[in-house]
Amino acid sequence: MKKMFNITAPEGLHARPAALLVTAVTPFECDVQLMYKEKSVNLKSIMGVMALGIAPGSIVEISAEGPDAEKLFQTITEVIVSKGIGEEC
């Protein structure tokens, strides 16, 4: 399962929004990856997410595989939209 998001936060995906995303997905069993500019990192790793240097206006892809992937996407979409991090493409 995959979804694309446009990062609209004026500061991009820096420490605070990265921490919100990592915290939101950590309880889930499935494997979840964040892809940006052909680089993929585990979305459960805050250092990995921050190392991508995702700027405002960037399009990222989130993919997840596992038994709770559908619920993970509901949660992550809610966090991204409600916290002003971005919007679903």
Side-chain angles (χ1 to χ4, degrees), residues 11-80:
E11 59 283 331
L13 206 52
H14 70 93
R16 186 190 63 81
L20 289 170
L21 293 178
V22 170
T23 302
V25 301
T26 298
F28 292 92
E29 288 181 40
C30 59
D31 177 41
V32 59
Q33 298 291 312
L34 174 67
M35 185 167 226
Y36 175 64
K37 290 189 175 179
E38 299 181 19
K39 292 182 183 174
S40 182
V41 298
N42 183 341
L43 189 51
K44 294 179 181 180
S45 165
I46 191 157
M47 295 308 290
V49 173
M50 290 178 56
L52 292 176
I54 300 170
S58 299
I59 303 293
V60 298
E61 178 182 279
I62 297 175
S63 62
E65 290 183 24
D68 52 2
E70 195 170 312
K71 178 69 176 154
L72 178 138
F73 275 111
Q74 290 174 350
T75 301
I76 202 141
T77 300
E78 183 179 306
V79 169
I80 288 174

